[in-house]
């Protein structure tokens, strides 16, 4: 029996399998409001058999957007636009999650398919960014260091976005503490040079993440919460796997249910070598040493590899991104390749199923 195609339950939410869709920014929202593109983009993965679909990094405040075209959940119009998208995912049997995010010093940038790079000028729709310290990401505008009131505003914004997410029908919430965005910026000594209770020691640098976690679990009681970490900055003197193990334990004690283990993104001078499954050892270490459930992510692009990650107990689930973009029916294909007898092939697609229950007449 395929381990990849066994269910996994967080609190009272059950994912039908362990092959999940990573949050992937589409840079196609208007004033934070998701569009028809988002509906098609996300619903197709549910038809394709995904267990959990986590919608893209969704800003909890306007200044938290990576780009002016990012999706948001800071007002009710955005919530109401997400609702039919979430309903479409759930109707097709997948669990709908959303990644709540604040980009911090990496906000107000041009989207990746724009002709320009770096920060969007203030007179062209950009805004002043915020961060733990007034240290710019390489090539970006210098941010303003958050004061205590600003930090309180961030915590409140995450809580309010969590409430709106649940009202929109999302069943799982993910906190984005990775890839060099605001929560990660507070965690890493390379971007956090504060001398107050939010800087210095690991306990202090983790304070904002844990406050946000507390606020979100209070705002959405009973809803499973995933925390995404970059397990290492891939840079000398930065955040590393040992720090991740410690803070993952603290987060689990505060109510986090699961951990999404990625890496990098904090600094431009990171040094890493990528390849299929290059982040799996990080996920395995966090799982083993922190004693928490995790998913692995990063170039896990074929069914046999994903199955092996679960069977070897390196992770409890696998998230993929680009492979879902290449094939929105990745899970259906993987089930066929692994010989997993799943019962959620769409009836409309049964004639393509390479096992029983296909139409005897492919011309009909």
């Amino acid at each position: 029996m395929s381990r990849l195609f066994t269910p996994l339950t967080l609190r009272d939410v059950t994912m039908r399998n362990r092959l999940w869709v990573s949050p992937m920014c589409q840079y196609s929202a208007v004033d934070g409001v998701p569009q028809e593109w988002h509906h098609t983009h996300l619903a197709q993965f549910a038809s394709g058999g995904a267990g959990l679909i986590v919608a893209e990094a969704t800003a909890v405040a306007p200044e938290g957007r990576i780009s002016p075209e990012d999706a948001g959940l800071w007002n009710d119009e955005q919530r109401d636009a997400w609702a039919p998208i979430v309903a479409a995912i759930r109707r097709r049997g997948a669990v709908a999650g959303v990644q709540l995010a604040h980009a911090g010093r990496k906000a107000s940038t041009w989207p990746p398919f724009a002709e320009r790079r770096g920060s969007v000028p203030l007179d062209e729709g950009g805004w002043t960014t915020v961060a733990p310290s007034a240290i710019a990401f390489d090539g970006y505008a210098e941010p303003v260091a958050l004061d205590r009131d600003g930090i309180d505003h961030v915590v409140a914004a995450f809580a309010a976005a969590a409430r709106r997410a649940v009202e929109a029908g999302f069943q799982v919430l993910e906190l984005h503490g990775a890839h060099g965005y605001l929560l990660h910026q507070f965690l890493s000594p390379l971007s956090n040079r504060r001398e107050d209770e939010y800087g210095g020691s690991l306990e202090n640098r983790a304070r904002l993440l844990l406050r946000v976690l507390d606020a979100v679990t209070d705002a959405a009681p009973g809803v499973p919460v995933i925390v995404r970490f970059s397990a290492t900055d891939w840079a000398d003197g930065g955040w590393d796997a040992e720090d991740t193990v410690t803070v993952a334990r603290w987060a689990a004690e505060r109510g986090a249910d699961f951990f999404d283990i990625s890496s990098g993104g904090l600094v431009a001078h990171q040094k890493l070598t990528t390849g299929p499954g290059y982040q799996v050892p990080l996920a395995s270490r966090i799982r083993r040493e922190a004693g928490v459930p995790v998913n692995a992510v990063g170039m896990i692009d074929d069914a046999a590899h994903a199955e092996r990650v679960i069977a070897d107990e390196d992770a409890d689930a696998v998230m993929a991104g680009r492979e879902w973009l290449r094939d929105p029916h990745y899970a259906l294909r993987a089930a066929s390749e692994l010989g997993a007898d799943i019962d959620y092939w769409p009836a409309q697609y049964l004639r393509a199923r390479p096992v029983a229950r296909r139409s005897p007449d492919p011309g009909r």
Side-chain angles (χ1 to χ4, degrees):
M1 179 180 293
S2 167
R3 294 283 298 276
L4 188 65
F5 284 91
T6 57
L8 187 150
T9 298
L10 301 178
R11 296 185 184 255
D12 62 353
V13 177
T14 298
M15 276 62 70
R16 58 191 175 185
N17 61 48
R18 299 167 187 244
L19 186 55
W20 301 349
V21 179
S22 282
M24 293 178 282
C25 291
Q26 298 299 291
Y27 304 100
S28 300
V30 178
D31 295 327
V33 177
Q35 303 294 303
E36 188 273 338
W37 174 268
H38 296 85
H39 192 293
T40 301
H41 167 69
L42 293 169
Q44 66 182 342
F45 303 136
S47 297
L52 169 66
I53 300 167
V54 182
E56 64 191 80
T58 300
V60 301
E63 65 274 14
R65 291 171 293 167
I66 302 168
S67 80
E69 291 75 30
D70 275 28
L73 262 172
W74 68 81
N75 65 41
D76 291 350
E77 181 185 6
Q78 295 157 358
R79 175 201 64 194
D80 295 345
W82 276 116
I85 299 171
V86 174
I89 292 170
R90 297 179 63 171
R91 279 197 305 271
R92 290 162 173 80
V95 170
V98 63
Q99 185 183 69
L100 303 180
H102 191 302
R105 69 179 188 173
K106 293 179 75 175
S108 188
T109 62
W110 297 102
F113 38 76
E115 293 182 359
R116 298 162 71 179
R117 293 290 178 266
S119 299
V120 179
L122 300 182
D123 60 359
E124 295 185 52
W127 56 90
T128 300
T129 60
V130 297
S133 304
I135 304 170
F137 183 80
D138 190 33
Y140 290 8
E142 182 177 301
V144 172
L146 283 164
D147 60 17
R148 287 178 176 82
D149 287 344
I151 289 172
D152 290 345
H153 171 75
V154 168
V155 174
F158 270 95
R163 283 190 292 271
R164 288 192 179 93
V166 174
E167 291 167 359
F170 285 109
Q171 301 156 278
V172 173
L173 305 176
E174 177 169 285
L175 305 183
H176 199 350
H179 300 166
Y181 298 122
L182 186 65
L183 298 181
H184 185 187
Q185 291 162 28
F186 270 85
L187 291 171
S188 176
L190 296 179
S191 48
N192 183 347
R193 306 287 176 81
R194 300 177 72 96
E195 297 180 356
D196 62 2
E197 68 269 33
Y198 290 93
S201 69
L202 179 60
E203 182 179 11
N204 283 355
R205 286 183 280 116
R207 192 178 305 277
L208 177 58
L209 171 69
L210 297 178
R211 279 194 65 192
V212 166
L213 175 60
D214 287 344
V216 165
T217 55
D218 286 347
V223 177
V225 176
I226 299 172
V227 177
R228 171 168 265 196
F229 282 121
S230 280
T232 175
D233 288 340
W234 299 112
D236 292 341
W239 171 264
D240 60 21
E242 183 176 353
D243 294 334
T244 307
V245 167
T246 299
V247 178
R249 284 199 199 104
W250 294 344
E253 292 168 358
R254 304 283 275 266
D257 299 282
F258 202 87
F259 296 86
D260 179 1
I261 306 302
S262 187
S263 69
L266 185 89
V267 292
H269 63 271
Q270 63 185 13
K271 296 180 180 178
L272 71 159
T273 300
T274 63
Y278 71 102
Q279 296 175 142
V280 171
L282 294 168
S284 182
R285 178 176 176 182
I286 307 310
R287 185 181 192 270
R288 183 177 66 255
E289 296 185 16
V292 297
V294 305
N295 68 256
V297 65
M299 301 178 72
I300 304 173
D301 295 339
D302 69 79
H305 188 183
E307 176 72 21
R308 189 164 63 252
V309 169
I310 306 301
D312 290 348
E313 299 186 345
D314 286 322
D316 301 275
V318 167
M319 275 194 177
R322 291 174 177 84
E323 190 60 23
W324 282 104
L325 298 183
R326 287 186 283 265
D327 179 4
H329 305 102
Y330 181 23
L332 298 182
R333 190 188 83 225
S336 297
E337 291 173 358
L338 296 171
D341 186 15
I342 59 173
D343 62 2
Y344 42 87
W345 270 75
Q348 298 90 334
Y349 292 174
L350 281 177
R351 69 186 66 191
R353 188 181 184 188
V355 289
R357 299 189 200 166
R358 55 188 297 179
S359 168
D361 182 0
R364 292 187 63 184

